[in-house]
Structure formats: structure tokens, C-alpha cells
Amino acid sequence: MFDVIVVGGGVIGATILRELTKYRLKVAMVEKESDVAMGQSRANSGIVHAGYDAKEGTLKAKFNLLGNLMMPAYTQELGVKYINNGSIVVAYSPDEIDTLYELKSRGEKNGVEGLEVIDTETLRALEPNISPDACGALLAKTGGIVCPYELTIASIGNAMDNGASLYTDYEVCEIVKGVDYFIVKSIDGRELSTKIIINSAGIGSGDISKMAGDDTVHISGRKGEYILLDRESQGYCTHTIFKTPTSKGKGILISPTVDGNILLGPTAQEVDVPDTDTTSTGLDYVKQTADSMCVRVPHYNTITSFAGVRAYSDTHDFVISHSDKVEGLINVAGIESPGLTSAPAIAKYVVEELVSALLPLVENTDFDGRRQSDHYYSKLDNDSKNKIIAQDPRYGKIICRCEQITEGEIVSVIRRNPRATTIDAVKRRLRAGMGRCQGGFCQPQVAQILARELGIPLEEVTKSGKNSRLIVGKTK
Amino acid sequence: MKNYDIIIIGGGPAGLAAAISAYDNGSRDILILEREPVLGGILNQCIHNGFGLTRFKESLTGPEYAYRFVEEVRSRGIEYMCDTTVLEVSTDKQVTAINSTKGVFSLSAKAIILAMGCRERSRGALNIAGARPAGIYSAGTAQKYVNILGQMPGKRVVILGSGDIGLIMARRMTLEGAKVLAVCEIMPHSSGLKRNIVQCLDDYGIPLYLSHTIVKIEGKDRVSGVYIAQVDEKRRPIEGTEKYFECDTVLFSVGLIPENELSKGAGVSLSPATKGPIVYDDRETSVSGIFACGNVLHVHDLVDFVSEEAEIAGVSASNYAMGKGADRRVVSTTCGNNVSYVLPQMLDTNASGMVKLYFRVNKVLPNPTIRLTSNGEDIVVKKKKIAVPGEMESIVLTPAKLQSISGDVVVSVEE
């Protein structure tokens, strides 16, 4: 019997799971995919929002600000890349300037510091590639960027190092409510029992809540398509550049990523079925909008495009509460933007305020919140690298030439928490296959390393779990 | 730090030929650095034949072609280090590399030859819409799975792009029992060699759809099908022309890009047209003492020409290392009508030997006239039966012709 099961291995579930391990609780996470961070936490903008967007008084406004303040220390402890690059909201016509002042005033009411409306000249000095149509901007100095799946993986890995269990490929199909416990069943017949369920199942959180007996959580999906440019474009812009928001939302942004790429997107398309296919109209729209925001957008450096589905609630605010209908069920649903920013603050609130109301919290004095970055090796100086290579020669063998990732690093992420068992899982942890050749050279080698380390035949290695096998059999 | 006369980065066909010619020019202190476990480069996975027809007047497989050069390197006792990846090359010709036995280490050289080859353009670079399931490979990756690992990437295949590797893989997958349903080429002409269209598609009844592209890939875990469509002159899909193919695999053969990350780090100037270094006719780059040859310089259609070019670079690097500097009188070469690039970009009209200019046309030109002019004056004029973008063209300049060049030269091809 677990004290708490967290359903859903996105960034919200991840930060909650880690927060839970700070107390003497028996906790687990169930995730329907073969790896964590497979939903919206793998495909979003990666922005640490300053907090001027959400209306004052909303949960979004509250957790955005708190999360923004927590993020630098939180990421540092977990060895996760975070850059305080600052955000700018650009007015592309004089009548949008008023909106900038409205945003500034709203941000200040929310408690955001460092907001400043800047003129065109200052803007151009900050971002030389801004469109000639730009006529002013709101600069938010506390805006930042983080890698959403790196944060998710690191939080879960650290939670596991502190005693949490992870069940992957665990697609919940039924939840049976006992007197003071639940049985959480998966489609492949596994069963786990728990006193408390935390529902952070993203796009599936409406379904999970319903399975537990609460049909009041209504979640819809909004697809966002992105284009990613090669690191060769690093420096094209340094701030996260937004258009002035309209009633339709924040629109397309242009932003550096923590890894030095440039990200364009997202679109916002309501979808009934949460598929992550890109569309030619969506990608064209991203390109055209980017071209209207900035000049000389280096589209020729495109290395990939992708889509994510953001789950939102019909309340248009975060749903973070005890279920009114089912005791022991905590819903953390509809966590759309600024959900990534808010995650550490939401996690703290959920555990300290909501879980504590159901279970006594006793501090886990063994808790160690530090985690070595999956990227630590590449940051070492040559002498330190050579000491490691002398012990383990695999750290001298480059497998991914574009990102210069060694066999030793790949073996390490296959072995450490949360274990990488697929090509894409290795890629998300190390960037092997994420460079300009997109795995063209290294994929067969990564597949061979996975097969060897997992003790499975090469035919069983998958791209991202389930039936996504790379090869269909031997040659004649 | 150990010092060499010449360090060659890459032990594929370019690096091997460069090493041999540098040795034969009198250099002895040569090192080849190769990232794979064996010498030979990408030729090792090209097990089809057709290599060497120009150079050896016989049809060799890729490994056979490579082996001839590897033997020449071994018989000369030229030093090489495999399983060694170069991390950085600096303008002052220091090379930082990594391997399992030495760790990260640095070397220096009097001359460096860049011979890193090229990589395939990926699906992502084309922004093709749809899902991102398993079963999408570049043709070269599929070639590695089939030819090196003995594994089949799929059973029902659609190929985008008619580059040579794609054509070769259409045949290879067919021979291994897969069904290749279609090869789509967005251009109105193939980008591969004519002989490969005939021997790899026509002979096996594989349809080639010119002016077609893939507009959508479907599939949840694994590819389940693709939609292709005809494109207009601006290469935009024409609505209503979509065709659906049920398949489990999509291969991309949509172009090769010279791999110049190390070159950039060394401060070498690159050409936007070739994506490779800008070079003199002796294959020296914009950085003194750094030379380049093979597919890192421009993408060749035949390995025979790679070897030929690498020999030029090898001799030049050897001369440079021995302190024999060239006293150049330089003009630049530029593209005239219907020409997409000319290499070398800089020509020494004082050169004492023959100089071969390579270039490619940007469309199919029947009965073309090739013209090399300088200051409006014809230097070379020659007729051909046909010129196609998939096949490299060349003009040979004798020392006398070179001397007659009075200024920058223009290469043009007229119908």
C-alpha cells in the first residue's frame, strides 16, 4: 500500500513526486508511456514566465510568480539548465503600446518585479533582428528559459534516488475506491493500492478523475506546433520574444533554448483527439508569423518540427484541489501555460497544503535534493575527463558526433534513475541524436548500446516504447 | 604536444588518397585521424559496385575501392588512429581529439587536411508535416542497418528524394525482400546519376514520381502510411493530386551537406553554394596551411573524383609543410548562367600544371555549350550532349590557358 500515487509523469507530477519524498511517505508514480515527460512536458516552449499574463487573483497568477522566484534555486539543485534571459513583449503597431502598459500594471499587481516599457531604440539594441514594424516593448527582466523535459526527468530521477517508485507503461484503466484507499489498475493487469491519488495526468486528467469517481474535471486539448533551428543560429535572438497578446492568447514566440537552439512557435489549434502530428498549414503559419516579428529568421537552419498538446480546463484556470466528490483524490489538472514555471510552487502547495490535510507529514531527514546533471561530463575540463576515461574508456568513445556525446554517458543514463530504455529517452536526457544530423549517424549505435545494456535483442529496441520498433527483422 | 608535418582529419576515400599523395610527394610525418573503428569511411557500407570505373577502369564495391587505398597507406607505413574523434581544430593548426586510450589530447601540425565528408539532410530540415513515429530513416542510416548490421528497417518502403543513396537503397531493400512502392522527387529531374535510375529503379519496376513530394506521414508508434502529392513550379503541393501509400518505412535521400563544424571552428571561410570551404586550386582554404578535399569541400557524385581531388590537397599540404610556398596570381571563379557552383573558387593563374574546374548546372540542359570567359573573352568553349544537375561537370585549363586569363573568370552553360 502506497501512501500516495501520482498519476502522470509530466513536469507537474514530477515536481510533486519529488516534493513528497521530502517526507516519510511511500510514494509512486504511474506513467502510461515508456518514459516520463512524454506529453506536453516534452513539447512546449520551455519558458519561465515572469508573471504579467495571468489575471490577478487567479491560481495562474499566484503560482506563476512563486514558481518564477523558486526556479533558479530549484534548477540549480537538480543540475538543470536555466537561463534568466528576460522576455520581451513587442508592440507591432502604436495601438498595442497601451496593452503593454496594461500588462505592466497587471504584472505589478501580481507582484512581478523588473517590468519596464522600452522604446524602439532600446528594443533594437537588445534584439537587432526585430522587425522594423516594432514600436516598443515590455521588458520582463525576470523571464527565463528552462528545458521542460530535463526538469521533469531530473525531478523524477531525484525523487527515485530518495525512495520513490516509478511504473512506466502503466496505463490506468480502472480505479477502485475502497473505504480509505484506492486500487489503481493498468491495462496490462497490474494493480497498485494507495491511500491518496494525485491526478496530474495532463490531457488525461479528466478521465483519471472520472475513473476515481469525480466527473467534474473537464479537460480539452490545444495543439501547438513548433519549429526548431540548429544551434548554428545561436545568438539570433537572446530574449524570448512575444507578440502583444490578443484575446486569442499569447501567440507565436521566438526564443533561444537553454541548449542554444532557436525555437519558433507554437500554434494554438483546438483538437478533439490529442495527436501530435504537425501540419503543413501549422508550420507555414509559424514561419510566416516569425517572419512578421523579426527579420532574417534563419529558416534554412531548421532541424526539426514537432507538436505538443496542452491540456486546459473549462474553468480556464489551474484546477488544484481536493476532489469535492472523492476523498483522497487530489486533482492537479488543466495546468496549461504558465504551468512549467508554476510547477515547483504547485508541488510545494499540493504537498504542504493538500496532502498534509489527509496524512501527517513527517520530514524525511535523509532527503538529498541534489542530482548530478546528465550533462555533467561534457562540462568537465580535459584533465577531469581524462581521469574518468582512464577508469572507464567508454567515456572516450564519441557516439553522437553532432552533440559530442560519449558511450559512457549513454550507458550512464540507461542505468541511472529514471532509466532510459528507448532511443528517444536517451535523446531527451543527453541530446544524442538531437543535433543537426538528427540521429542519422548515431541511431544504430545507440540502439546497439541499448540492446546490450538492457539485455534484449536489437529487434526489440524501440524509438519510444510500445510498437515503435526500429527494425522489423534480419536481412536475407 | 606532439607535432606532425601533416594531420589528416578523416580516413575515408579523401583522407586516404590525400595521405598517399602527400607521402609520395616526400612527406613522412603524416597522421590520419578516423572516428570509426576502421579506415574507409562511408565506402564501407556501400557494398554495391560501380566504384572505380573512371580511376581503375573496373567496377569495384565500396569496401574494395577503400581497401586499395588502405593497403597503399599501410604499405607506406603511414600512421593512423581509428576510434578517434576530433573535437576541435584551431586556426594555428592545433588539433584536439578524444579516444578511449589517450582520453582528450592535443596535437599540432604544420599542415592540416580536412577530409570529414558529409552528412545527410534530415527529414526535419524539410518540415514535412505529420507524425514522428519509428520507421523514418535517412537512406544512409537504413544502409548501415542493412549492410553493416544485417537488419531490415522495414518491409514496405516509400523513398523521398532521388539522391544516389536513395536509389541504391531502393534496389538494396528490394533485393532483401522489401517492397519499394515509390521514389518521389520534388524537382522535375532526378538528383542522382542516370545509371542509378536505370539500374536501381527501372530494372526493378520501381516507379519514380518526379515533381512529387511527401505531404504527410501517418503512424502512431510506427509509420503506417504516407500521402504524396504533385508540386507546382514553386514546389508547392497541388491540391487534389494526393496519393496514399500504405507503408511501414519512409527513407529520405534529400541531399548531402558537407560537415564543416570543425572547419568553422578553425576560422575557415565557407561558400554558401557548396557549404564547404572556399579554396584555391591547390585546395588550400582561407586559413593558411589548412587544406580541404572530398565531400567536406563539395559533394561529389563519384568517389573517383574525390580521390583525384584529395591527391591535389595531399601534394599541396606536403609542399606547404616543406616550406614550398606558392607565389600566386589569383583570380576568382564565379557562376554564370545555369551554373550553381564552381570549384575552386580561387584560381592561381601562375599554376604550373593543369587545373581542373568542377561545376554543376542547376537544371537539365540538352546540347549545352559550356563557356569559360574572363573579361568577356572566351578562354574555353566546349559542346556536350547533355548536362544534368546530378552529374558534376569539369573544364581543364592548361598552364597556357591559365596564363591567358586576365581577370576573374565566369563559367556559364547555355542551351
Side-chain angles (χ1 to χ4, degrees), chain A residues 232 277-278 280 302-303 305 386 393 396-397 401 436 440-441 443 448 463 468-473 475-476, chain B residues 35 83 99-100 103-104 119 124 129-132 137 141 145 149-152 175-176 221-222 259 261 264:
Chain A
E232 200 170 298
D277 290 7
T278 53
S280 48
T302 298
I303 48 172
S305 49
N386 286 342
K397 172 76 183 159
R401 59 172 82 163
R436 46 187 75 88
F441 285 115
Q443 194 210 63
Q448 286 174 288
K463 178 174 184 284
S468 63
R469 291 188 178 189
L470 301 171
I471 46 188
V472 298
T475 51
K476 280 182 180 173
Chain B
R35 60 188 151 206
D83 270 324
N99 68 25
S100 292
V104 183
R119 65 166 176 271
R132 298 191 300 151
Y137 298 98
T141 310
Y145 273 118
L149 301 176
Q151 304 284 347
M152 283 295 278
L175 290 174
E176 290 294 345
D221 297 326
R222 175 90 199 187
E259 260 201 330
E261 282 63 44
K264 277 181 233 168

Side-chain angles (χ1 to χ4, degrees), chain A residues 137-404:
Chain A
L138 174 68
L139 171 65
K141 290 175 187 152
T142 59
I145 47 178
V146 69
C147 173
Y149 45 85
E150 188 187 12
L151 180 59
T152 306
I153 289 164
S155 299
I156 293 170
N158 181 243
M160 293 172 80
D161 294 344
N162 284 296
S165 307
L166 171 67
Y167 297 85
T168 52
D169 285 315
Y170 199 104
E171 183 167 352
V172 177
C173 61
E174 192 186 350
I175 297 172
V176 180
K177 176 86 173 93
V179 183
D180 53 0
Y181 66 94
F182 299 90
I183 299 170
V184 180
K185 299 183 176 180
S186 79
I187 52 167
D188 60 3
R190 283 178 285 175
E191 290 185 6
L192 297 169
S193 54
T194 180
K195 293 174 193 160
I196 294 173
I197 290 176
I198 295 179
N199 169 21
S200 57
I203 193 77
S205 48
D207 295 336
I208 295 295
S209 177
K210 201 169 165 184
M211 279 182 219
D214 180 351
D215 58 1
T216 63
V217 177
H218 301 136
I219 300 298
S220 308
R222 194 184 290 127
K223 180 152 89 179
E225 298 183 38
Y226 293 90
I227 294 173
L228 190 72
L229 307 182
D230 188 58
R231 281 199 295 191
E232 200 170 298
S233 302
Q234 186 163 19
Y236 173 77
C237 66
T238 52
H239 296 76
T240 302
I241 303 172
F242 296 93
K243 295 176 74 161
T244 302
T246 63
S247 55
K248 287 181 192 157
K250 291 197 282 273
I252 304 282
L253 60 83
I254 302 178
S255 180
T257 70
V258 283
D259 295 303
N261 300 82
I262 298 287
L263 186 67
L264 316 175
T267 55
Q269 180 72 41
E270 303 297 320
V271 285
D272 298 329
V273 185
D275 77 84
T276 53
D277 290 7
T278 53
T279 63
S280 48
T281 40
L283 297 176
D284 282 348
Y285 179 75
V286 170
K287 274 162 93 172
Q288 283 160 16
T289 311
D291 286 335
S292 74
M293 297 166 67
C294 284
V295 294
R296 298 182 292 274
V297 180
H299 296 295
Y300 54 85
N301 270 334
T302 298
I303 48 172
T304 192
S305 49
F306 58 89
V309 177
R310 294 99 88 185
Y312 67 96
S313 146
D314 59 355
T315 64
H316 293 284
D317 196 3
F318 297 155
V319 175
I320 306 173
S321 60
H322 292 290
S323 163
D324 290 338
K325 294 197 166 180
V326 181
E327 201 184 338
L329 171 66
I330 297 171
N331 286 312
V332 190
I335 313 293
E336 56 179 325
S337 176
L340 173 63
T341 315
S342 305
I346 291 174
K348 195 167 183 313
Y349 172 82
V350 165
V351 176
E352 291 179 4
E353 305 296 329
L354 302 183
V355 175
S356 69
L358 302 171
L359 283 176
L361 295 184
V362 180
E363 194 191 347
N364 172 11
T365 46
D366 298 330
F367 177 82
D368 183 350
R370 292 167 303 172
R371 184 176 189 268
Q372 189 173 52
S373 164
D374 287 329
H375 299 279
Y376 82 96
Y377 175 77
S378 61
K379 306 278 181 283
L380 296 176
D381 61 37
N382 291 344
D383 286 344
S384 313
K385 279 185 183 165
N386 286 342
K387 276 182 201 138
I388 293 176
I389 295 168
Q391 304 257 316
D392 184 347
R394 291 174 299 192
Y395 281 89
K397 172 76 183 159
I398 299 274
I399 300 293
C400 166
R401 59 172 82 163
C402 302
E403 300 289 322
Q404 298 187 345

